[in-house]
Amino acid sequence: MMKVGVVGASGYVGGETLRLLVNHPDVEIAMVTSRQHVGEYLHRIQPSLKGFTDLTFSELDYDKMTDKCDLVFTAVPHGTATEIVKALYDRGLKVIDLSADYRLHNAADYDKWYGWEHPHPDYLPKSVFGVPELHREAIKKAQLVSCPGCMAVTSTLALAPLIRNDLIDIDHIIVDSKIGSSGAGSGSGTAHAMRAGVIRPYKPAKHRHTGEIEQELSEIAGKKIHVSMSPHAVDVVRGILCTNHTFMKKDLDEKEIWKIYRETYGQERFIRLIRDKKGLYKFPDPKFVVGSNFCDIGFDIDEENHRLIAISASDNLMKGAAGSAIQNMNVMCGFDEMDGLRYTPLTPV
């Protein structure tokens, strides 16, 4: 049994990580920390864990964590993980970070997208961007993996095959994202009165996940790519829908595009290709990924305007956070990639 710890487990992402870990066949949860809830049973803060664990929250003690754990998940707010991750890394622990603090490879990008100077730029090259579908071999050898942002992974997975195969104009990519309230975290203004019935643009330009998308797509293209991204808050609790507008370099038919997506993701267990000719649900829909680690990808073609619309959907707390973290752990540790993640989506929700 591998022993794991979770730092900062009182929020949505930390709770979701614990929900997956308690049923993982090869893992024992050895230590869970929270600054506000030291001594409290986990299930008092994360009620869904009642009956699954009798652990209590501990204070963050690096020596104790090093003695008790082989791998640690850090699920703390952006900007507060830099020192924690470095301290754990320096003690030889494997670390999976769910914050944004080690996602970007270029230290200057933290000032651009987050407005602060990274205190440990020499550690950024040590981190692998945690998308197994793109970086599986590097993740296998990594000590530090940084999980992607929820909108970033959902849109990047849809766009990557189109760029890898040089199908689209890389100077004009538009990502339109819709995200549920849990994407804002447990401590933010997600009250029903403020979220119900809304479709609210909240960062129409310069959203920080844009930096991750540009980083990953530029690496695939071998040249700098700029992406225009606009997210919207919508009246759901969990789920993301990304409508990615691209423009084809040459006319392509449906079969050609299907072939490219199948060749890229045909063996990937957490990618489902969705484009149905019949029924109401012809394209990816976040309603049918909730509770699962799937990213559903589909497309449509606007021949008149040479537009290829790549559509992707995921659960922001699963493939967009905790599910990716567990998938990365499985890859790092040589477990079956589906261990702890064998959940069908919840329907209805």
Side-chain angles (χ1 to χ4, degrees):
M1 278 287 192
M2 188 179 69
K3 295 184 177 182
V4 304
V6 182
V7 176
S10 61
Y12 290 152
V13 171
E16 192 76 350
T17 303
L18 290 169
R19 179 180 77 87
L20 301 174
L21 288 172
V22 293
N23 286 312
H24 196 289
D26 299 304
V27 164
E28 175 188 339
I29 304 173
M31 188 174 177
V32 179
T33 78
S34 170
R35 286 183 298 119
Q36 303 102 318
H37 305 294
V38 174
E40 289 280 8
Y41 285 109
L42 267 60
H43 62 74
R44 288 210 174 121
I45 309 304
Q46 304 287 1
S48 62
L49 299 178
K50 180 80 171 178
F52 288 91
T53 177
D54 290 324
L55 272 176
T56 58
F57 287 103
S58 306
E59 64 182 352
L60 177 55
D61 183 313
Y62 292 120
D63 292 332
K64 287 182 180 178
M65 187 153 270
T66 303
D67 290 340
K68 290 185 175 184
C69 302
D70 305 304
L71 180 148
V72 177
F73 297 89
T74 49
V76 295
H78 304 315
T80 62
T82 52
E83 301 302 329
I84 296 171
V85 168
K86 179 182 182 298
L88 295 169
Y89 184 97
D90 287 348
R91 285 167 170 79
L93 289 165
K94 290 186 176 183
V95 183
I96 297 176
D97 183 29
L98 290 111
S99 82
D101 291 8
Y102 288 89
R103 288 174 187 164
L104 300 175
H105 303 327
N106 186 346
D109 285 339
Y110 279 94
D111 182 49
K112 176 180 180 180
W113 296 107
Y114 289 88
W116 47 267
E117 183 178 343
H118 202 288
H120 304 296
D122 51 326
Y123 279 70
L124 295 177
K126 303 177 190 294
S127 177
V128 176
F129 195 68
V131 183
E133 292 82 4
L134 301 180
H135 303 298
R136 186 171 281 109
E137 293 307 311
I139 292 168
K140 286 179 182 179
K141 298 177 282 189
Q143 183 186 342
L144 170 59
V145 170
S146 183
C147 291
C150 51
M151 287 180 282
V153 67
T154 307
S155 58
T156 298
L157 286 170
L159 293 167
L162 308 181
I163 290 173
R164 184 173 289 140
N165 289 276
D166 195 27
L167 302 182
I168 59 173
D169 174 5
I170 61 173
D171 293 324
H172 298 91
I173 300 172
I174 300 167
V175 177
D176 183 321
S177 294
K178 311 290 192 301
I179 185 168
S181 58
S182 60
S186 61
S188 59
T190 56
H192 177 74
M194 299 304 294
R195 292 290 306 214
V198 306
I199 304 175
R200 179 186 302 132
Y202 62 90
K203 190 72 173 172
K206 302 179 183 178
H207 189 279
R208 58 197 183 194
H209 285 187
T210 309
E212 298 171 45
I213 301 168
E214 291 185 352
Q215 171 182 281
E216 294 303 298
L217 297 183
S218 297
E219 185 176 310
I220 292 169
K223 61 180 74 173
K224 182 62 179 176
I225 289 180
H226 294 285
V227 172
S228 301
M229 174 180 164
S230 296
H232 302 74
V234 296
D235 185 12
V236 297
V237 173
R238 296 167 69 132
I240 294 174
L241 181 69
C242 290
T243 306
N244 306 284
H245 301 271
T246 72
F247 297 88
M248 296 181 285
K249 288 185 172 182
K250 61 179 181 180
D251 290 336
L252 297 163
D253 63 26
E254 180 182 324
K255 289 183 180 179
E256 291 174 295
I257 298 168
W258 262 126
K259 182 181 178 183
I260 286 162
Y261 274 116
R262 286 198 180 104
E263 286 176 347
T264 304
Y265 295 131
Q267 303 303 313
E268 293 293 344
R269 292 146 95 181
F270 292 113
I271 304 289
R272 302 189 303 186
L273 301 178
I274 307 292
R275 193 171 190 269
D276 201 341
K277 297 289 187 182
K278 298 179 181 179
L280 182 61
Y281 305 105
K282 297 180 174 67
F283 299 102
D285 186 329
K287 191 176 184 70
F288 301 108
V289 294
V290 170
S292 79
N293 196 48
F294 293 115
C295 179
D296 287 356
I297 298 174
F299 65 90
D300 206 0
I301 303 170
D302 174 8
E303 293 90 350
E304 186 171 348
N305 294 299
H306 306 286
R307 187 167 56 111
L308 172 56
I309 309 102
I311 304 166
S312 47
S314 73
D315 181 337
N316 55 285
L317 291 179
M318 286 291 290
K319 190 62 172 169
S324 277
I326 302 302
Q327 187 181 357
N328 283 317
M329 178 189 71
N330 289 339
V331 174
M332 291 171 79
C333 300
F335 302 144
D336 187 304
E337 210 159 312
M338 294 194 76
D339 281 355
L341 295 169
R342 298 176 192 277
Y343 296 101
T344 61
L346 299 171
T347 305
V349 290

